[in-house]
């Protein structure tokens, strides 16, 4: 049987997802390692990708046959959606699938910072003597957690802090419906500064939009407690990184953990000043990077792609 569609895999995917794609006789699969990758503009009916690849307006204008792009994960800021609409290309993502793994990382990073685990580990590896009275951590038990962004990931994060540490949850989201999280014990606040002033932990779960770019900046750090921790496992650009560096150096907040930065992956060249601080932990956007999640979300991407190519209703439609 001659394949009906040619699909280009532009970024690495879990082997189970690739196996599922290759098992369909109607699909010709071009993998990232195939030299034919450079010709996708001329031949691709469908594309699957992750955050590594950027699709620009020029890419869409050159794509001769492209019908659908499916992005693993929620964020689609690496895809020019206006250009996709202009050229009649459907764009889908995989909402809600990353919630558990991202929430796990948020909690893991927060606890690693609050209990100074990385700092102590580095000292031991250097052969330094660690005096316990001089490396006191901060307990999260019954603290106030401010969740900015009341979507799927934010909800799972809230549930974890509630269940594990009996925390008080504050939720802020100017666009979420009034009945959002009606099954989660929380207090809804309608002003960001109100959340910032009360929270011991501020955790971000918003997309990168013009309305959210730099939403945590100089003025917001002034509102936060000196004992507060900032967590960004959402998107780079939501936090003003120059203002964050200043806030940390001046002791305006207790510390920060970042899994999302404006420059990814983080390097010493780009983030040497932040990485020199003991009260900062950075990871290279690995919130969704568990074996289980990559397998599950990868197979959902393939299922979505095949449905769209076969003109069936598919989940996660962005445009």
């Amino acid at each position: 049987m001659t394949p009906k569609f040619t699909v280009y895999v532009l970024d690495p995917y879990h082997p189970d997802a690739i196996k599922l794609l290759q098992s369909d006789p109607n699909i010709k699969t071009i993998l990232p390692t195939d030299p034919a990758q450079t010709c996708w503009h001329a031949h691709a009916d469908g594309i699957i990708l992750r955050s590594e690849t950027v699709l620009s307006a020029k890419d869409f204008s050159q794509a001769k046959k492209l019908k659908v792009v499916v992005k693993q994960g929620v964020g689609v800021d690496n895809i020019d959606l206006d250009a996709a609409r202009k050229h009649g290309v459907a764009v889908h993502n995989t909402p809600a699938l990353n919630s558990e793994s991202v929430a796990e990382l948020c909690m893991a990073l927060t606890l690693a910072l609050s209990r100074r685990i990385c700092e102590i580990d580095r000292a031991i590896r250097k052969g330094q003597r660690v005096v316990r009275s001089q490396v006191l951590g901060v307990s999260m038990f019954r603290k106030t957690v401010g969740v900015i962004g009341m979507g799927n990931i934010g909800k799972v994060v809230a549930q974890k802090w509630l269940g594990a540490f009996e925390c008080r949850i504050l939720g802020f989201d100017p666009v979420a419906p009034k009945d959002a999280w009606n099954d989660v014990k929380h207090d809804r606040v309608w002003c960001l500064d109100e959340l910032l002033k009360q929270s011991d932990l501020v955790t971000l779960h918003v997309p990168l939009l013009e309305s959210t770019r730099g939403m945590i900046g100089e003025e917001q750090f002034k509102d936060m407690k000196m004992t507060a921790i900032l967590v960004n496992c959402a998107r780079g650009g939501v936090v003003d990184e120059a203002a964050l560096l200043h806030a940390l150096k001046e002791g305006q907040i207790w510390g920060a953990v970042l899994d999302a930065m404006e420059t990814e992956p983080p390097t010493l060249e780009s983030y040497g000043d932040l990485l020199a601080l003991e009260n900062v932990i950075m990871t290279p956007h690995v919130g969704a990077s568990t074996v289980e999640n990559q397998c599950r979300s990868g197979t959902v991407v393939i299922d979505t792609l095949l449905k769209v190519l076969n003109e069936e209703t598919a989940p996660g439609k962005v445009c």
Side-chain angles (χ1 to χ4, degrees):
M1 175 185 284
T2 302
K4 292 170 57 178
F5 305 110
T6 301
V7 173
Y8 283 72
V9 184
L10 298 188
D11 295 319
Y13 267 73
H14 192 279
D16 288 354
I18 298 300
K19 184 178 180 181
L20 178 62
L21 183 63
Q22 292 176 324
S23 70
D24 191 313
N26 289 319
I27 301 296
K28 178 181 179 182
T29 302
I30 309 297
L31 298 176
T33 54
D34 192 319
Q37 276 281 310
T38 57
C39 304
W40 75 260
H41 296 88
H43 304 295
D45 297 292
I47 284 173
I48 63 173
L49 74 165
R50 297 174 61 179
S51 298
E52 290 91 333
T53 296
V54 174
L55 293 184
S56 66
K58 183 178 180 181
D59 288 317
F60 284 106
S61 68
Q62 293 177 344
K64 306 301 182 183
K65 301 169 57 183
L66 190 61
K67 299 178 178 66
V68 58
V69 174
V70 186
K71 159 73 166 38
Q72 181 175 324
V74 179
V76 289
D77 43 290
N78 57 321
I79 301 170
D80 190 322
L81 298 180
D82 290 335
R85 292 187 189 96
K86 178 181 177 181
H87 293 280
V89 179
V91 177
H92 288 247
N93 63 0
T94 56
L97 295 181
N98 291 345
S99 300
E100 179 63 33
S101 57
V102 174
E104 284 181 3
L105 184 70
C106 288
M107 180 170 277
L109 290 174
T110 302
L111 294 173
L113 184 73
S114 68
R115 295 304 305 267
R116 302 174 69 170
I117 292 170
C118 295
E119 177 185 349
I120 294 168
D121 178 75
R122 285 191 293 266
I124 292 173
R125 290 172 186 271
K126 293 176 182 177
Q128 298 173 359
R129 179 172 177 263
V130 175
V131 180
R132 287 179 292 179
S133 62
Q134 296 177 5
V135 288
L136 298 180
V138 173
S139 173
M140 290 304 300
F141 183 60
R142 293 183 176 172
K143 292 296 176 66
T144 297
V145 176
V147 183
I148 300 176
M150 297 176 64
N152 292 312
I153 295 175
K155 180 177 180 178
V156 178
V157 168
Q159 289 171 323
K160 288 189 180 300
W161 285 116
L162 272 169
F165 289 89
E166 300 179 18
C167 290
R168 176 192 177 207
I169 304 298
L170 302 180
F172 170 78
D173 193 319
V175 299
K178 290 185 177 181
D179 61 350
W181 293 9
N182 57 13
D183 56 342
V184 177
K185 183 180 179 182
H186 74 285
D187 295 313
R188 181 81 176 261
V189 297
W190 299 97
C191 295
L192 179 57
D193 60 352
E194 183 181 350
L195 178 145
L196 297 174
K197 289 174 181 177
Q198 296 184 56
S199 298
D200 301 295
L201 167 64
V202 176
T203 180
L204 300 169
H205 304 286
V206 295
L208 180 61
L209 307 169
E210 284 308 308
S211 59
T212 62
R213 183 176 293 278
M215 72 181 301
I216 304 297
E218 182 179 354
E219 294 304 313
Q220 288 70 40
F221 286 119
K222 290 178 182 178
D223 284 333
M224 292 174 65
K225 296 180 180 181
M226 294 177 66
T227 54
I229 293 172
L230 176 72
V231 177
N232 184 10
C233 287
R235 284 290 181 269
V238 175
V239 176
D240 180 329
E241 293 173 353
L244 171 62
L245 178 62
H246 177 78
L248 290 165
K249 285 186 173 181
E250 295 299 313
Q252 291 179 326
I253 64 173
W254 197 82
V257 294
L258 306 173
D259 186 51
M261 294 70 81
E262 291 195 62
T263 301
E264 294 180 358
T267 62
L268 284 173
E269 182 180 0
S270 300
Y271 291 103
D273 289 342
L274 273 172
L275 289 168
L277 302 177
E278 292 286 9
N279 57 344
V280 172
I281 297 176
M282 301 181 79
T283 51
H285 211 143
V286 294
S289 299
T290 67
V291 172
E292 296 83 358
N293 186 62
Q294 291 303 304
C295 177
R296 181 174 63 253
S297 56
T299 54
V300 169
V301 165
I302 304 307
D303 182 66
T304 299
L305 175 85
L306 296 178
K307 280 184 167 64
V308 176
L309 288 176
N310 291 303
E311 300 182 354
E312 300 173 16
T313 301
K317 185 171 177 60
V318 178
C319 72

